[in-house]
Amino acid sequence: MKYEMKTLFFQSDLVSSQWDTWVYYHDGTYYLYYLYEEKKRWEGFGLALSKDGICWEDQGIVLKASERMVSYLGTGSVWKAPDFDQTHTFICNYSEYQMIDA
C-alpha cells in the first residue's frame, strides 16, 4: 500500500519550528495558537486567524516565556471569562517549566 504525504493543518512561516496547537472559535473567527521554538525549547506561542478553518493568516508571536523559564512552555487553552458578557475578556491558560526560588 502506498501512502501520500499530506500537508499540515497549519504551518507558520514566521518561526523555525512549531509544536502543539489549540483552537478557539468565536464570532465567526477561528483562533489557532501554536507553540514555537527559535532559541529555546518551546519558548512561546503564536497565533493564526481564519474565517473558514482552512486558510490561515499568521499573526506571529503573541507570547514569549518569562525570564524564569528553565526548559519549555506547555500547551494551552482559551475560554471566555465567567463575566464575558460585561468584560468581553478571554482567559488563556498555559504551562511553563520554571525555576522557583526557595
Side-chain angles (χ1 to χ4, degrees):
M1 178 179 260
K2 188 174 181 179
Y3 292 97
E4 285 184 41
M5 184 64 149
K6 300 289 183 183
T7 58
L8 296 173
F9 177 63
F10 168 78
Q11 177 67 51
S12 176
D13 293 327
L14 304 178
V15 297
S16 62
S17 183
Q18 75 181 61
W19 194 245
D20 293 348
T21 59
W22 60 98
V23 177
Y24 188 84
Y25 179 80
H26 175 72
D27 201 22
T29 301
Y30 294 91
Y31 297 81
L32 181 143
Y33 298 87
Y34 57 89
L35 292 179
Y36 78 89
E37 178 178 277
E38 290 293 332
K39 298 174 188 167
K40 292 182 177 181
R41 187 173 177 206
W42 315 125
E43 62 195 280
F45 58 83
L47 171 66
L49 304 176
S50 175
K51 292 293 185 183
D52 60 8
I54 299 168
C55 300
W56 296 90
E57 183 180 325
D58 198 348
Q59 305 299 301
I61 297 166
V62 295
L63 184 127
K64 292 184 178 184
S66 75
E67 297 285 327
R68 301 180 99 171
M69 186 181 88
V70 174
S71 186
Y72 57 84
L73 222 68
T75 301
S77 58
V78 174
W79 65 92
K80 289 180 181 179
D83 60 351
F84 179 82
D85 291 340
Q86 290 79 38
T87 65
H88 305 287
T89 300
F90 293 90
I91 297 171
C92 180
N93 174 44
Y94 62 93
S95 63
E96 180 182 273
Y97 176 35
Q98 58 178 239
M99 186 60 67
I100 303 295
D101 297 330

